[in-house]
Amino acid sequence: MSNYVTAIGLDVHARSISACAFDPMTGEVSRARFGYDPASVAEWALGFESPKAVYESGPTGFHLCRALRALGVDCAVGAVSKMHRPAADRGRKNDRRDAEWLARLLACRN
């Protein structure tokens, strides 16, 4: 398995953040939605055991990534061009589903 327990996917927009925490050991999924406030996201994420977060690269997330790292949450940037989605998922895009997809990708990365 990997060196962390909880994978957190973040779908970041200018005014909102959809978050999904996925525990690969138990399969448990937790979801949350925030305004654009890195402190509240970090507080939620640090409530999980050994969290690691990821978000799709874009102009709204770089500040969030730096802020989360400063608050003690390990955060990675995922390159959208390198992430391949199944054809069936392309027409059903929404923030909650994107956050969960990112969390599951991060969990199986190692």
Side-chain angles (χ1 to χ4, degrees):
M1 192 53 37
S2 56
N3 61 354
Y4 58 90
V5 175
T6 306
I8 298 175
L10 302 171
D11 190 49
V12 183
H13 296 283
R15 292 192 176 99
S16 67
I17 300 168
S18 293
C20 178
F22 173 66
D23 186 337
M25 298 299 215
T26 64
E28 183 179 349
V29 174
S30 300
R31 294 182 181 90
R33 188 161 175 86
F34 304 96
Y36 194 87
D37 180 20
S40 59
V41 175
E43 182 180 345
W44 178 78
L46 290 172
F48 297 101
E49 186 177 344
S50 303
K52 180 166 179 146
V54 65
Y55 79 95
E56 287 180 323
S57 62
T60 57
F62 291 115
H63 173 264
L64 176 67
C65 184
R66 286 192 299 270
L68 288 177
R69 287 177 182 164
L71 293 168
V73 177
D74 187 10
C75 187
V77 180
V80 179
S81 62
K82 302 294 182 190
M83 297 180 200
H84 299 286
R85 284 187 174 267
D89 284 352
R90 292 195 180 130
R92 302 181 315 162
K93 185 168 173 26
N94 66 41
D95 296 345
R96 191 185 77 159
R97 187 173 286 124
D98 287 350
E100 184 174 344
W101 180 70
L102 286 167
R104 290 182 185 273
L105 276 179
L106 180 62
C108 67
R109 186 186 98 215
N110 291 336

